[in-house]
């Protein structure tokens, strides 16, 4: 198997989360090496895998190889929602996996949020982990109907008044509040995690691209020996029909004045989004900026990563225009940061953990746009599997097989039809106040 991080060029974008935090500038691999465990990929999946392995067996020698630098991938660029959200709803998941423990899965997701919070409060104070819940608000009846049918766990439906007391959003008629969600500045968290691992003896190499085939693992051309290996490269894999990259883009504003901030929310750390089909997500940062993201960039033919997709002006404008619609009273604000990145999507929109006991190779990923919490849980489960445990065997992501995406140009047509259709579906719902028929049709095209 050949792994690759092929991009056409370096992304021309600037995540807010990098401000004030220099790169770690870790060494590249320059000679053959031998470790107990080798991890490929320096994002949350790779780093939490090392963390959990060490929690279980502190004597392991572990190396992490990152082709670019720590935080280059989605882990350094995301929207900072640490949530128990999952791309497939619990009712569908139960039908698909009758023998899995779906309630147990969500319990573990919720605990993972708190465990990440414990780590952040001890080791990553500048990540500003704040657990205040998430508010998904409805601005039309169709959205509200959808929220009413997605109640589960500790989520609560809020009426118009209560919604507007939490978030000063124009036109909100109700919302779904989930107390189990935190917000964080992701790059400082990941950076602190890397430093913590280094202090515990993990060797982390940057500018060190791994090439794995049946017989050997080479990094920067040097032979790397190991007893176990983990592949945590998420969207940055050689193009294939197993997964497609979908782009999520973000903008951040300059800090709002204190009056502007309190007109939006008085709840520090609240995560919020509109119940649109076109995915969106926002938080107000600890220094009073709006950081908001969403989808809308087109899928690249052949699943080839294209850096220009990460900074598409029209998509950035469309995302920032949401702020104007939600908070028309805000007055003046300006966009200071724009960025984006790919997420990996399998045909079934579910994540996976595979462990081949013969080759002692594990892989985790497939998180779509909800990877911050589940990468922690998947890494914990993988560490358990690799060290002979069976605690996580009933999790729906274990050995989760998915159909492959169709061949090109069908997947290009299907994925991009979805991009256009979700926008139309939102428009349809605004006009009709009924759940979109267009969206129902679109879901069939993309495996949902
Ligand atoms: C704009 C955006 C917003 C998002 N918002 C949220 C959010 O608010 N909440 C949420 O839960 N999720 C969000 N996500 C998704 C989440 O960020 C990801 O699911 C998660 O960070 C994935 O972590 P990872 O470690 O698996 O992958 P990544 O962070 O992508 O790391 C993979 C790493 O592997 C490296 N690599 C690849 N191939 C090789 C190789 N051959 N050799 C060495 N290294 C290699 C890459 O360079 C990369 O750094 C968002 C994603 C994006 C792009």
């Amino acid at each position: 198997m050949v792994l690759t991080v092929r991009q056409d060029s370096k992304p021309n974008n600037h995540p807010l989360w990098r401000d004030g935090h220099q790169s770690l500038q870790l060494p590249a691999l320059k000679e053959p090496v031998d470790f107990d465990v080798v991890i490929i990929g320096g994002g949350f999946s790779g780093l939490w895998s090392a963390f959990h392995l060490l929690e279980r067996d502190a004597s392991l020698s572990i190396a992490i190889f990152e082709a670019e630098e720590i935080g280059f991938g989605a882990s350094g660029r995301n929207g900072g929602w640490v949530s128990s959200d999952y791309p497939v709803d619990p009712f569908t998941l139960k039908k698909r996996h009758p023998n899995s423990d779906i309630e147990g899965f969500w319990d573990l997701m919720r605990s993972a949020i708190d465990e990440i919070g414990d780590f952040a409060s001890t080791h990553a104070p500048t990540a500003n982990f704040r657990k205040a819940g998430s508010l998904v608000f409805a601005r039309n009846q169709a959205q509200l109907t959808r929220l009413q049918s997605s109640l589960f766990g500790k989520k609560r439906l809020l009426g118009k008044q209560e919604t507007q007391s939490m978030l000063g959003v124009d036109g909100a008629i109700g919302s779904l509040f989930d107390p189990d969600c935190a917000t964080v500045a992701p790059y400082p968290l990941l950076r602190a995690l890397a430093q913590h691992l280094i202090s515990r003896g993990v060797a982390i190499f940057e500018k060190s691209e791994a090439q794995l085939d049946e017989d050997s693992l080479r990094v920067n051309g040097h032979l790397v020996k190991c007893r176990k290996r983990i592949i945590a490269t998420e969207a940055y894999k050689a193009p294939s029909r197993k997964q497609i990259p979908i782009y999520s883009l973000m903008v951040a504003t300059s800090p709002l004045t204190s009056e502007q901030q309190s007109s939006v929310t008085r709840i520090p750390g609240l995560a919020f989004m509109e119940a649109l089909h076109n995915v969106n997500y926002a938080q107000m940062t600890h220094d009073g900026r709006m950081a908001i993201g969403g989808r809308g960039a087109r899928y690249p033919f052949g699943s080839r990563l294209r850096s220009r997709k990460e900074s598409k002006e029209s998509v950035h404008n469309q995302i920032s225009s949401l702020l104007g619609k939600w908070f028309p009273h805000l007055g003046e604000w300006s966009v200071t940061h724009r960025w984006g990145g790919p997420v990996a999507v399998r045909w079934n929109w579910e994540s996976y953990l595979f462990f081949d006991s013969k080759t002692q190779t594990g892989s985790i990923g497939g998180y779509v746009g909800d990877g911050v919490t589940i990468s922690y849980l998947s890494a914990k489960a993988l560490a358990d599997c690799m060290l002979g445990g069976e605690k996580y065997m009933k999790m729906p992501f274990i050995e989760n097989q998915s159909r492959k995406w169709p061949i090109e140009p069908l997947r290009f047509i299907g994925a991009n039809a979805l991009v256009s259709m979700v926008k139309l579906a939102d428009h349809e719902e605004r006009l009709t106040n009924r759940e979109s028929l267009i969206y129902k049709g679109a879901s069939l095209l993309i495996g949902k």
Side-chain angles (χ1 to χ4, degrees):
M1 174 190 7
V2 176
L3 292 166
T4 170
V5 218
R6 295 285 163 244
Q7 282 236 126
D8 47 343
S9 63
K10 288 275 182 296
N12 172 25
N13 62 31
H14 184 71
L16 168 70
W17 320 118
R18 300 297 290 251
D19 279 12
H21 299 278
Q22 285 186 341
S23 301
L24 285 165
Q25 305 201 325
L26 301 172
L29 186 75
K30 295 204 174 99
E31 60 191 7
V33 281
D34 187 345
F35 289 92
D36 293 328
V37 185
V38 156
I39 298 171
I40 304 169
F44 280 129
S45 293
L47 269 55
W48 285 128
S49 294
F51 177 87
H52 288 297
L53 282 165
L54 281 183
E55 292 288 290
R56 298 283 303 264
D57 182 352
S59 71
L60 289 170
S61 67
I62 303 178
I64 299 174
F65 295 108
E66 164 55 47
E68 299 281 343
E69 59 175 45
I70 294 301
F72 165 82
S75 301
R77 314 182 194 186
N78 60 65
W81 278 46
V82 191
S83 72
S84 61
D85 292 350
Y86 191 71
V88 176
D89 67 71
F91 315 107
T92 309
L93 213 54
K94 245 184 210 163
K95 273 193 222 141
R96 287 187 187 174
H97 306 280
N99 297 324
S100 293
D101 179 5
I102 304 303
E103 276 85 16
F105 167 61
W106 258 282
D107 286 345
L108 288 175
M109 287 284 274
R110 287 188 274 263
S111 307
I113 298 170
D114 293 332
E115 289 169 30
I116 295 170
D118 289 344
F119 178 88
S121 61
T122 316
H123 301 285
T126 57
N128 293 301
F129 180 97
R130 297 171 300 172
K131 189 174 171 195
S134 68
L135 195 77
V136 185
F137 54 86
R139 295 175 74 232
N140 62 50
Q141 188 53 46
Q143 293 180 352
L144 193 58
T145 309
R146 194 157 50 253
L147 293 183
Q148 283 160 345
S149 63
S150 47
L151 256 183
F152 78 96
K154 288 194 256 163
K155 294 186 184 192
R156 276 193 302 128
L157 276 171
L158 308 185
K160 185 174 171 176
Q161 302 281 311
E162 213 179 340
T163 301
Q164 290 189 342
S165 70
M166 291 180 80
L167 191 73
V169 60
D170 189 62
I173 55 170
S175 60
L176 194 60
F177 176 69
D178 184 352
D180 286 304
C181 181
T183 54
V184 75
Y187 180 69
L189 175 61
L190 188 74
R191 194 178 185 281
L193 177 57
Q195 286 173 317
H196 172 77
L197 292 172
I198 292 168
S199 75
R200 294 185 66 184
V202 175
I204 307 186
F205 299 91
E206 295 183 323
K207 301 280 172 232
S208 298
E209 183 172 338
Q211 299 288 341
L212 184 62
D213 64 33
E214 302 263 299
D215 311 318
S216 67
L217 170 62
R218 287 186 177 272
V219 175
N220 293 348
H222 302 291
L223 188 65
V224 173
K225 289 194 189 153
C226 59
R227 259 56 68 208
K228 297 176 193 294
R229 52 201 179 187
I230 292 177
I231 302 166
T233 54
E234 189 56 343
Y236 298 88
K237 287 193 166 59
S240 80
R241 290 174 55 201
K242 288 188 186 158
Q243 63 178 44
I244 64 167
I246 284 194
Y247 283 84
S248 209
L249 272 62
M250 291 197 70
V251 302
T253 68
S254 53
L256 303 180
T257 63
S258 49
E259 293 81 54
Q260 286 175 318
Q261 288 177 39
S262 50
S263 75
V264 172
T265 181
R266 289 200 169 82
I267 305 173
L270 183 72
F272 51 92
M273 62 178 276
E274 183 176 346
L276 292 163
H277 289 295
N278 199 11
V279 171
N280 62 94
Y281 45 91
Q283 63 155 302
M284 187 151 53
T285 62
H286 80 288
D287 60 346
R289 297 167 186 269
M290 293 289 217
I292 172 169
R295 306 254 172 86
R298 287 169 65 77
Y299 156 81
F301 189 84
S303 301
R304 291 187 194 287
L305 297 178
R306 297 269 179 246
S307 60
R308 64 174 183 275
K309 301 268 176 199
E310 301 175 358
S311 45
K312 207 87 187 105
E313 198 182 341
S314 56
V315 181
H316 279 138
N317 290 344
Q318 180 192 306
I319 291 166
S320 50
S321 76
L322 284 176
L323 288 180
K325 286 179 194 150
W326 294 347
F327 310 111
H329 58 272
L330 265 188
E332 278 193 24
W333 49 270
S334 59
V335 169
T336 51
H337 297 70
R338 295 173 176 80
W339 71 97
V343 301
V345 185
R346 296 197 307 157
W347 176 259
N348 67 4
W349 293 66
E350 293 181 35
S351 60
Y352 62 83
L353 181 163
F354 294 113
F355 178 57
D356 179 344
S357 55
K358 214 165 105 208
T359 61
Q360 291 289 306
T361 302
S363 57
I364 49 178
Y367 313 126
V368 193
D370 295 317
V372 175
T373 308
I374 199 171
S375 57
Y376 176 94
L377 176 58
S378 303
K380 195 173 184 182
L382 181 56
D384 185 70
C385 279
M386 286 187 121
L387 300 178
E390 297 195 340
K391 183 171 171 205
Y392 297 90
M393 287 305 151
K394 283 199 170 276
M395 291 301 104
F397 53 79
I398 301 283
E399 301 292 326
N400 181 311
Q401 302 289 348
S402 168
R403 263 178 64 185
K404 288 183 179 166
W405 282 88
I407 52 166
E408 294 289 21
L410 292 179
R411 66 178 189 275
F412 180 79
I413 295 167
N416 284 326
L418 175 75
V419 173
S420 309
M421 284 163 92
V422 289
K423 287 186 210 156
L424 280 177
D426 287 325
H427 190 59
E428 180 195 352
E429 292 192 344
R430 262 194 306 277
L431 290 178
T432 64
N433 269 324
R434 280 200 312 274
E435 286 208 75
S436 167
L437 294 173
I438 296 177
Y439 187 76
K440 279 198 185 132
S443 325
L444 299 175
L445 285 177
I446 44 104
K448 274 209 120 178

Short mmCIF file of all heavy atoms in Angstrom, two decimals, residues 117-146:
data_model
loop_
_atom_site.label_atom_id
_atom_site.label_comp_id
_atom_site.label_asym_id
_atom_site.label_seq_id
_atom_site.Cartn_x
_atom_site.Cartn_y
_atom_site.Cartn_z
N GLY A 117 -11.08 17.68 27.64
CA GLY A 117 -11.11 18.88 28.49
C GLY A 117 -10.11 18.76 29.65
O GLY A 117 -9.42 19.73 29.98
N ASP A 118 -10.02 17.57 30.26
CA ASP A 118 -9.06 17.38 31.36
C ASP A 118 -7.64 17.60 30.85
O ASP A 118 -6.82 18.26 31.51
CB ASP A 118 -9.16 15.96 31.93
CG ASP A 118 -10.46 15.76 32.71
OD1 ASP A 118 -11.10 16.78 33.04
OD2 ASP A 118 -10.85 14.59 32.93
N PHE A 119 -7.35 17.02 29.68
CA PHE A 119 -6.00 17.20 29.12
C PHE A 119 -5.74 18.68 28.86
O PHE A 119 -4.70 19.22 29.21
CB PHE A 119 -5.83 16.39 27.82
CG PHE A 119 -4.47 16.60 27.21
CD1 PHE A 119 -3.40 15.79 27.58
CD2 PHE A 119 -4.24 17.64 26.31
CE1 PHE A 119 -2.13 16.02 27.06
CE2 PHE A 119 -2.98 17.88 25.80
CZ PHE A 119 -1.92 17.06 26.16
N ALA A 120 -6.75 19.33 28.22
CA ALA A 120 -6.55 20.74 27.83
C ALA A 120 -6.34 21.62 29.06
O ALA A 120 -5.47 22.50 29.05
CB ALA A 120 -7.74 21.23 27.02
N SER A 121 -7.11 21.37 30.12
CA SER A 121 -6.97 22.28 31.27
C SER A 121 -5.62 22.07 31.95
O SER A 121 -5.06 23.01 32.50
CB SER A 121 -8.13 22.13 32.25
OG SER A 121 -8.15 20.83 32.73
N THR A 122 -5.04 20.88 31.88
CA THR A 122 -3.74 20.66 32.52
C THR A 122 -2.59 21.08 31.61
O THR A 122 -1.61 21.66 32.07
CB THR A 122 -3.56 19.15 32.85
OG1 THR A 122 -4.76 18.69 33.41
CG2 THR A 122 -2.40 18.91 33.78
N HIS A 123 -2.70 20.75 30.32
CA HIS A 123 -1.52 20.90 29.45
C HIS A 123 -1.66 21.97 28.38
O HIS A 123 -0.68 22.30 27.72
CB HIS A 123 -1.23 19.56 28.75
CG HIS A 123 -0.97 18.44 29.70
ND1 HIS A 123 0.22 18.31 30.39
CD2 HIS A 123 -1.74 17.39 30.09
CE1 HIS A 123 0.17 17.24 31.16
NE2 HIS A 123 -1.01 16.67 31.00
N ALA A 124 -2.89 22.43 28.10
CA ALA A 124 -3.04 23.34 26.95
C ALA A 124 -3.95 24.52 27.30
O ALA A 124 -5.02 24.70 26.70
CB ALA A 124 -3.61 22.55 25.76
N PRO A 125 -3.54 25.35 28.29
CA PRO A 125 -4.42 26.45 28.68
C PRO A 125 -4.73 27.41 27.53
O PRO A 125 -5.82 27.96 27.45
CB PRO A 125 -3.64 27.17 29.80
CG PRO A 125 -2.24 26.65 29.72
CD PRO A 125 -2.29 25.30 29.08
N THR A 126 -3.80 27.58 26.58
CA THR A 126 -4.05 28.54 25.49
C THR A 126 -5.04 27.99 24.46
O THR A 126 -5.42 28.70 23.53
CB THR A 126 -2.75 28.95 24.76
OG1 THR A 126 -2.14 27.75 24.27
CG2 THR A 126 -1.80 29.70 25.65
N ALA A 127 -5.43 26.72 24.62
CA ALA A 127 -6.44 26.18 23.70
C ALA A 127 -7.84 26.63 24.10
O ALA A 127 -8.80 26.44 23.35
CB ALA A 127 -6.37 24.65 23.68
N ASN A 128 -7.96 27.23 25.30
CA ASN A 128 -9.25 27.79 25.75
C ASN A 128 -10.41 26.80 25.59
O ASN A 128 -11.45 27.14 24.99
CB ASN A 128 -9.58 29.07 24.99
CG ASN A 128 -8.61 30.17 25.34
OD1 ASN A 128 -8.50 30.54 26.50
ND2 ASN A 128 -7.86 30.65 24.37
N PHE A 129 -10.24 25.61 26.10
CA PHE A 129 -11.33 24.61 26.08
C PHE A 129 -12.46 25.13 26.98
O PHE A 129 -12.25 25.43 28.16
CB PHE A 129 -10.80 23.28 26.61
CG PHE A 129 -11.81 22.17 26.64
CD1 PHE A 129 -11.89 21.25 25.60
CD2 PHE A 129 -12.69 22.04 27.72
CE1 PHE A 129 -12.82 20.23 25.64
CE2 PHE A 129 -13.63 21.03 27.75
CZ PHE A 129 -13.69 20.12 26.71
N ARG A 130 -13.65 25.27 26.42
CA ARG A 130 -14.80 25.76 27.21
C ARG A 130 -16.01 24.91 26.88
O ARG A 130 -16.42 24.85 25.71
CB ARG A 130 -15.10 27.23 26.86
CG ARG A 130 -13.95 28.17 27.23
CD ARG A 130 -14.15 29.57 26.70
NE ARG A 130 -14.25 29.62 25.26
CZ ARG A 130 -14.59 30.71 24.57
NH1 ARG A 130 -14.86 31.82 25.19
NH2 ARG A 130 -14.66 30.69 23.25
N LYS A 131 -16.58 24.25 27.89
CA LYS A 131 -17.73 23.38 27.62
C LYS A 131 -19.00 24.12 27.98
O LYS A 131 -19.36 24.24 29.15
CB LYS A 131 -17.61 22.08 28.41
CG LYS A 131 -18.66 21.07 28.00
CD LYS A 131 -18.45 19.73 28.68
CE LYS A 131 -19.63 18.82 28.43
NZ LYS A 131 -19.67 17.68 29.31
N ALA A 132 -19.70 24.63 26.96
CA ALA A 132 -20.93 25.37 27.19
C ALA A 132 -22.09 24.82 26.37
O ALA A 132 -23.17 25.40 26.37
CB ALA A 132 -20.70 26.84 26.85
N GLY A 133 -21.85 23.75 25.64
CA GLY A 133 -22.91 23.15 24.84
C GLY A 133 -22.99 23.71 23.44
O GLY A 133 -22.26 24.65 23.07
N SER A 134 -23.89 23.11 22.65
CA SER A 134 -24.10 23.61 21.28
C SER A 134 -25.57 23.93 21.08
O SER A 134 -26.45 23.30 21.68
CB SER A 134 -23.66 22.56 20.25
OG SER A 134 -24.52 21.45 20.29
N LEU A 135 -25.81 24.92 20.24
CA LEU A 135 -27.17 25.35 19.96
C LEU A 135 -27.36 25.29 18.44
O LEU A 135 -26.71 26.02 17.71
CB LEU A 135 -27.36 26.79 20.45
CG LEU A 135 -28.80 27.26 20.54
CD1 LEU A 135 -29.47 26.66 21.78
CD2 LEU A 135 -28.85 28.79 20.63
N VAL A 136 -28.26 24.40 18.01
CA VAL A 136 -28.58 24.32 16.59
C VAL A 136 -29.92 25.01 16.43
O VAL A 136 -30.94 24.53 16.95
CB VAL A 136 -28.69 22.85 16.11
CG1 VAL A 136 -28.90 22.80 14.60
CG2 VAL A 136 -27.45 22.06 16.49
N PHE A 137 -29.94 26.16 15.77
CA PHE A 137 -31.18 26.94 15.75
C PHE A 137 -31.89 26.80 14.41
O PHE A 137 -31.28 26.56 13.36
CB PHE A 137 -30.91 28.41 16.08
CG PHE A 137 -29.87 29.06 15.22
CD1 PHE A 137 -30.20 29.62 13.99
CD2 PHE A 137 -28.55 29.12 15.65
CE1 PHE A 137 -29.23 30.23 13.20
CE2 PHE A 137 -27.58 29.72 14.86
CZ PHE A 137 -27.92 30.27 13.63
N ALA A 138 -33.23 26.94 14.49
CA ALA A 138 -34.09 26.85 13.30
C ALA A 138 -34.58 28.25 12.96
O ALA A 138 -35.01 28.99 13.85
CB ALA A 138 -35.27 25.94 13.58
N ARG A 139 -34.53 28.58 11.66
CA ARG A 139 -35.06 29.87 11.22
C ARG A 139 -36.26 29.68 10.30
O ARG A 139 -36.74 30.64 9.71
CB ARG A 139 -33.96 30.71 10.56
CG ARG A 139 -32.86 31.09 11.56
CD ARG A 139 -31.69 31.81 10.91
NE ARG A 139 -32.00 33.17 10.55
CZ ARG A 139 -31.80 33.67 9.33
NH1 ARG A 139 -31.32 32.92 8.37
NH2 ARG A 139 -32.10 34.92 9.07
N ASN A 140 -36.71 28.43 10.14
CA ASN A 140 -37.98 28.19 9.45
C ASN A 140 -38.58 26.89 10.00
O ASN A 140 -37.90 26.12 10.70
CB ASN A 140 -37.84 28.18 7.91
CG ASN A 140 -36.91 27.07 7.44
OD1 ASN A 140 -37.05 25.92 7.82
ND2 ASN A 140 -35.95 27.42 6.59
N GLN A 141 -39.84 26.64 9.65
CA GLN A 141 -40.56 25.51 10.22
C GLN A 141 -39.96 24.17 9.81
O GLN A 141 -39.92 23.22 10.59
CB GLN A 141 -42.04 25.59 9.79
CG GLN A 141 -42.94 24.59 10.48
CD GLN A 141 -42.85 24.62 12.00
OE1 GLN A 141 -42.86 25.69 12.61
NE2 GLN A 141 -42.72 23.44 12.64
N ALA A 142 -39.44 24.09 8.58
CA ALA A 142 -38.86 22.82 8.10
C ALA A 142 -37.65 22.46 8.95
O ALA A 142 -37.47 21.30 9.36
CB ALA A 142 -38.46 22.95 6.64
N GLN A 143 -36.84 23.46 9.25
CA GLN A 143 -35.66 23.20 10.09
C GLN A 143 -36.09 22.75 11.48
O GLN A 143 -35.52 21.82 12.06
CB GLN A 143 -34.81 24.47 10.21
CG GLN A 143 -34.15 24.90 8.90
CD GLN A 143 -33.30 26.16 9.06
OE1 GLN A 143 -33.32 26.82 10.11
NE2 GLN A 143 -32.58 26.52 8.02
N LEU A 144 -37.14 23.40 12.02
CA LEU A 144 -37.61 23.05 13.36
C LEU A 144 -38.14 21.62 13.39
O LEU A 144 -37.86 20.85 14.32
CB LEU A 144 -38.69 24.04 13.80
CG LEU A 144 -39.07 24.00 15.27
CD1 LEU A 144 -37.85 24.27 16.17
CD2 LEU A 144 -40.16 25.02 15.59
N THR A 145 -38.87 21.24 12.35
CA THR A 145 -39.40 19.87 12.29
C THR A 145 -38.23 18.87 12.30
O THR A 145 -38.27 17.84 12.98
CB THR A 145 -40.22 19.68 10.99
OG1 THR A 145 -41.16 20.74 10.92
CG2 THR A 145 -40.93 18.35 10.95
N ARG A 146 -37.17 19.20 11.57
CA ARG A 146 -36.01 18.30 11.53
C ARG A 146 -35.36 18.20 12.92
O ARG A 146 -34.98 17.13 13.37
CB ARG A 146 -35.00 18.84 10.50
CG ARG A 146 -33.94 17.86 10.13
CD ARG A 146 -33.29 18.11 8.79
NE ARG A 146 -32.84 19.46 8.57
CZ ARG A 146 -33.44 20.32 7.75
NH1 ARG A 146 -34.51 19.96 7.08
NH2 ARG A 146 -32.98 21.55 7.60
#
